Amino acid sequence: QQPVQSPQAVILREGEDAVINCSSSKALYSVHWYRQKHGEAPVFLMILLKGGEQKGHDKISASFNEKKQQSSLYLTASQLSYSGTYFCGTEATGKLIFGQGTTLQVKP
Amino acid sequence: EAGVAQSPRYKIIEKRQSVAFWCNPISGHATLYWYQQILGQGPKLLIQFQNNGVVDDSQLPKDRFSAERLKGVDSTLKIQPAKLEDSAVYLCASSFGTGAEKLFFGSGTQLSVL
């Protein structure tokens, strides 16, 4: 079952914050976040393993609510380099299923 | 550290022709994945290998797609015969183990079926 991401697209100015949500209808073992720039391969950002876990990566952090089967990715003080498509990947039965992606555009 | 190698980078074929993609994962990575990414969508898992055994191929259209990973190292994905709807980027990824492991992706093969 493919996870659902929201919003589908976000446009920001440099320095603004954004939140990308990922929800699943299945109980999850882990949630992965990847970023893909146009014409390139997806690049790993982080994995969250436990319910309620939060992780950070520079000014990008994420939370995982196991009970609600949801994860959120937080981008603070966005930079131009944050532009791209963000995918969450959910793992329930040993295989990683990706959402449809959220396109983020950061403008100067 | 060398990354995941894929070839070719681009391929244009006509429908009903056959095509093959090659992937060499990061050395020591037991798990290899083939994903299909249609423009504007997330990667869709086609097949997952652990060493040379298939872990999951439930999304692989087996009437036209086949994949193998001989000797548990590099892998080949084949489409025969190709359809227009197979136009996509085919991404290979590898990870050290299975489960909650970071995936390393190759640059992909962009396939256009005319």
Side-chain angles (χ1 to χ4, degrees), chain A residues 17-85:
Chain A
D17 301 340
V19 180
I20 300 171
N21 299 303
C22 173
S23 63
S24 173
S25 59
K26 280 188 159 185
L28 301 174
Y29 176 69
S30 67
V31 178
H32 299 219
W33 286 96
Y34 288 77
R35 178 172 61 210
Q36 185 176 32
K37 293 186 181 280
H38 183 69
E40 299 180 11
V43 173
F44 173 81
L45 292 177
M46 64 189 77
I47 294 175
L48 300 106
L49 293 174
K50 298 176 185 176
E53 182 183 13
Q54 282 195 284
K55 292 190 77 172
H57 176 77
D58 195 12
K59 291 179 181 174
I60 299 174
S61 61
S63 63
F64 177 21
N65 187 320
E66 192 179 336
K67 263 189 177 179
K68 291 185 177 179
Q69 297 162 192
Q70 289 177 347
S71 178
S72 294
L73 186 72
Y74 307 95
L75 301 103
T76 56
S78 58
Q79 306 166 17
L80 294 175
S81 62
Y82 287 4
S83 293
T85 301

Side-chain angles (χ1 to χ4, degrees), chain B residues 90-103:
Chain B
Y90 290 84
L91 293 164
C92 178
S94 70
S95 63
F96 184 73
T98 56
E101 295 267 352
K102 173 181 175 181
L103 265 62

